[in-house]
Amino acid sequence: DNTMWGGVVGDDGWQSLRLGGHDSVGEAFVDFQTGLLRLKRRGVALAIASKNDELVALEAIDNHDQMVLAKDDFVNWRINWGDKALNIAEMIDELNIGHQSVVFLDDNPHERTRVREALPDVLVPEWPEDPIDYPRALAKLKCFDQTHVSTEDRQRTTMYADENKRQQLKNSIASLDDWIRDLGIRVEVARLSGVNAERATQLLNKTNQMNLSTRR
């Protein structure tokens, strides 16, 4: 509400949201969502932390004809009336990423302050009061800049969805050996080359497991 679209969906109904149409504010929300979709295609994983009724919010995402983002564009969501900071922390644990890799965007200054205090490693930029400024504010954020976008980056949302399926399978199988066997894991070994050097560099910069010196 008032971050991805204008209005409160639980009060106004998804049909009355300000999103697209012959409305400068509605168009600004469309432009903002388009910017988020562009980031997703570059490998930035999107998630939702919203104080709302889940069915009502998802209904808006599914049915509003001006929605740019679909449910499949999000790797996770917490849509409830609980503490956003706690919800974000739970999603971070589920996605198995570091807090320093997370950016939280919200129109409510109280929510931004709460997340800053509870999750100090999460980046919480100040956000404009006027939705017309949202697309420009998103474009100005330097935290998403990267020198190279790999094939794996573009497939990141799908990779998170696959990981979620693997964890669901793990929870349904009693034996760890059976789980690993059912995954059908295949390992391919290749020499470092011009084809895979950039991806290898990404992986080296993400882990210290094989790099005891921590030098990149």
Side-chain angles (χ1 to χ4, degrees):
D1 291 333
N2 296 308
T3 299
M4 276 184 27
W5 53 60
V8 179
V9 67
D11 296 339
D12 305 330
W14 63 264
Q15 300 90 338
S16 300
L17 296 176
R18 298 184 75 177
L19 186 62
H22 301 289
D23 175 8
S24 59
V25 171
E27 287 298 331
F29 282 111
V30 167
D31 290 344
F32 176 60
Q33 287 194 31
T34 301
L36 292 175
L37 183 61
R38 194 176 299 117
L39 289 176
K40 179 244 180 181
R41 289 171 175 165
R42 285 170 42 199
V44 176
L46 304 179
I48 300 172
S50 174
K51 286 186 176 177
N52 229 314
D53 289 317
E54 181 173 358
L55 291 178
V56 173
L58 294 180
E59 183 183 27
I61 293 174
D62 284 336
N63 293 306
H64 201 293
D65 62 0
Q66 295 294 309
M67 277 291 300
V68 176
L69 296 168
K71 283 191 299 190
D72 289 345
D73 292 317
F74 299 95
V75 298
N76 207 333
W77 59 72
R78 285 291 190 282
I79 304 174
N80 54 44
W81 297 103
D83 179 22
K84 282 191 181 181
L86 178 59
N87 285 333
I88 292 169
E90 289 178 353
M91 287 191 287
I92 289 172
D93 289 341
E94 288 182 9
L95 296 171
N96 193 27
I97 57 177
H99 286 218
Q100 72 279 1
S101 299
V102 177
V103 183
F104 175 63
L105 307 179
D106 198 287
D107 71 297
N108 189 320
H110 300 294
E111 296 288 3
R112 296 198 298 269
T113 299
R114 165 63 184 153
V115 172
R116 281 194 196 103
E117 293 175 349
L119 306 172
D121 289 333
V122 171
L123 175 62
V124 185
E126 283 302 324
W127 205 239
E129 292 185 12
D130 190 340
I132 291 178
D133 295 324
Y134 286 9
R136 190 181 303 110
L138 180 66
K140 284 184 176 180
L141 291 176
K142 302 300 183 184
C143 51
F144 300 116
D145 292 350
Q146 55 198 114
T147 57
H148 174 72
V149 179
S150 66
T151 301
E152 288 79 7
D153 289 331
R154 297 187 181 95
Q155 296 173 345
R156 182 159 287 119
T157 297
T158 302
M159 293 165 66
Y160 277 123
D162 291 342
E163 174 62 17
N164 187 47
K165 292 177 183 177
R166 285 191 287 269
Q167 292 304 318
Q168 290 177 355
L169 177 63
K170 183 179 180 181
N171 294 334
S172 66
I173 296 179
S175 167
L176 183 62
D177 289 338
D178 289 342
W179 175 62
I180 293 174
R181 186 164 47 251
D182 285 354
L183 289 178
I185 296 173
R186 211 173 101 193
V187 178
E188 296 182 5
V189 179
R191 291 184 179 276
L192 189 64
S193 68
V195 174
N196 58 27
E198 288 178 326
R199 178 58 177 164
T201 301
Q202 280 188 328
L203 294 176
L204 282 171
N205 285 332
K206 288 181 177 181
T207 181
N208 293 323
Q209 288 177 313
M210 302 298 177
N211 181 3
L212 299 182
S213 72
T214 72
R215 291 176 58 192
R216 306 303 186 192

